[in-house]
Amino acid sequence: MQAFFSDDQLLHDPQQYMRVGRICKPADLPTRAEALQATLAQRGISVSVPREAGRQALELVHSTDYLDYLETAYARWQKIESFGLEPGIEVLPNMSPHGVRQGPCPSPAVLAQTGWYVGDLSCPIGPNTWRSVLRSAHAALAAAETVRDAGGVAYALCRPSGHHAQRARAAGFCYVNNSAIAAATLRQAHGRVAVLDIDAHHGDGTQQIFYERADVLTISTHADPANYYPWYTGYAHERGAGEGEGCNLNLPLAHGSGTAAFALALDQAMAAIERFGPQALVLPLGFDTYKDDPISVLQFDMDSFRLAGARVRALGVPTVVVQEGGYMVGAIGAALDAFLEGLQA
Ligand SMILES: [Zn+2]
């Protein structure tokens, strides 16, 4: 199995994030990626640096105006003059526009565009954020190209994560949707691609990107969003729209659910995937379902990750595994190890 990662993905070092009205220390620490790298090394899995691939693959799933914003926001932020106030250390929105955001932001001001393109206060943009985001996307692209061209399984060690990023909106520590880029890349060779997201949070960005498409099946198992991020989506009645009607499946789990409940959800997910008949799979893989994760409301143990790996192996289609969340730096290495054990057994 091949894995992909660039050291540039460690450069993004967020300093602040809002929780329950408090500015807190962010959970997406660069050390997360180092813990996952250590597991790959222990298992003898070679890690390749993805090729520099520019923005082309990102434009498969994101709008040009949004990518222009992400690429330029930090430099433009430095030039803000606001009634004698210096800009803060990172780009963060002041406000959220009313109604649905459609098309490019009507204002050229970086502060206005930040409200337009950044959906919450967990996505600060610092001096190196764009570089890390771009290289994280390149890791997903390289893994998808490998699987597209040679089959098998590849792992993209993505950081920052991507599954909350919509076509033109950052949110939930995510800026560019790595899993959606992988799915779009696999679609270049395959008629049907399935995405099975097993992060603790609903993969709302991925759902939004493919919601009206019949060629990409999106499935997400996650903690019930009624009282958990991302709150507004992830409910069972969201089944896709237009041509994509029936091609989205949400399997919310009651808070406190353990590995047994996850196994039942996986049964439903696998049955839906087999009905759809994809030629390739993307697996957005999160470890924030683990019982001791600092932002977990689920009670999964390590067996859940082993089980997920085994079910992917049993499915037997070419697969790109894309790293999403998981914030207990002391546990995510073991979680990846358990997943790979199930996958490779
Ligand atoms: Zn998550």
Side-chain angles (χ1 to χ4, degrees):
M1 191 184 84
Q2 282 199 61
F4 295 91
F5 177 76
S6 159
D7 283 342
D8 283 359
Q9 295 173 237
L10 301 171
L11 295 173
H12 170 59
D13 189 15
Q15 298 296 307
Q16 48 195 346
Y17 126 75
M18 179 80 84
R19 292 179 76 183
V20 293
R22 292 177 180 275
I23 292 290
C24 299
K25 185 80 189 145
D28 181 17
L29 305 172
T31 48
R32 293 176 60 240
E34 292 165 0
L36 299 169
Q37 279 181 289
T39 293
L40 296 174
Q42 281 160 17
R43 294 190 75 87
I45 295 170
S46 70
V47 180
S48 304
V49 177
R51 68 183 175 89
E52 293 280 354
R55 278 175 36 168
Q56 197 176 4
L58 286 66
E59 288 168 1
L60 294 173
V61 299
H62 293 289
S63 65
T64 305
D65 54 291
Y66 174 60
L67 296 172
D68 288 345
Y69 164 77
L70 282 182
E71 185 168 1
T72 62
Y74 184 79
R76 294 161 63 205
W77 190 256
Q78 305 312 304
K79 298 179 187 141
I80 286 182
E81 287 178 30
S82 182
F83 307 106
L85 275 180
E86 296 275 312
I89 55 170
E90 294 172 313
V91 180
L92 279 171
N94 275 24
M95 64 178 293
S96 180
H98 298 293
V100 179
R101 289 166 261 215
Q102 284 184 331
C105 179
S107 164
V110 67
L111 200 54
Q113 293 183 0
T114 301
W116 192 259
Y117 294 119
V118 180
D120 61 30
L121 288 165
S122 68
C123 285
I125 298 171
N128 299 307
T129 298
W130 170 251
R131 181 65 186 156
S132 290
V133 165
L134 186 66
R135 296 301 279 151
S136 188
H138 290 167
L141 173 66
E145 287 176 336
T146 299
V147 170
R148 181 194 66 195
D149 298 341
V153 180
Y155 171 66
L157 202 177
C158 290
R159 187 237 168 223
S161 300
H163 72 152
H164 296 305
Q166 297 183 355
R167 182 170 174 76
R169 191 209 70 178
F173 312 153
C174 300
Y175 304 81
V176 160
N177 197 314
N178 307 307
S179 293
I181 289 168
T185 301
L186 290 168
R187 268 288 290 113
Q188 294 166 344
H190 300 296
R192 286 174 168 240
V193 174
V195 180
L196 171 58
D197 187 320
I198 58 170
D199 186 274
H201 302 91
H202 176 229
D204 55 341
T206 319
Q207 172 174 304
Q208 188 252 4
I209 287 167
F210 296 114
Y211 204 61
E212 296 184 23
R213 285 174 58 167
D215 55 338
V216 179
L217 172 69
T218 45
I219 303 178
S220 180
T221 68
H222 48 262
D224 186 346
N227 193 22
Y228 194 56
Y229 192 91
W231 318 98
Y232 309 117
T233 60
Y235 298 93
H237 68 264
E238 298 156 18
R239 298 303 310 273
E243 287 184 8
E245 180 81 46
C247 293
N248 186 74
L249 176 62
N250 287 324
L251 298 166
L253 299 166
H255 294 199
S257 292
T259 297
F262 177 58
L264 292 174
L266 271 185
D267 285 344
Q268 285 181 266
M270 288 301 170
I273 291 169
E274 282 171 9
R275 278 195 301 274
F276 184 72
Q279 291 91 36
L281 175 74
V282 177
L283 188 88
L285 173 64
F287 300 129
D288 42 7
T289 50
Y290 184 59
K291 57 187 172 62
D292 294 330
D293 190 279
I295 59 172
S296 180
V297 293
L298 297 170
Q299 290 288 320
F300 289 16
D301 58 23
M302 288 293 166
D303 285 344
S304 70
F305 307 120
R306 204 169 285 112
L307 176 68
R311 297 301 298 267
V312 169
R313 174 169 50 88
L315 192 66
V317 300
T319 298
V320 180
V321 179
V322 178
Q323 187 63 51
E324 299 286 355
Y327 304 97
M328 189 179 179
V329 173
I332 56 176
L336 178 61
D337 193 62
F339 174 82
L340 293 172
E341 190 184 311
L343 185 69
Q344 298 179 328

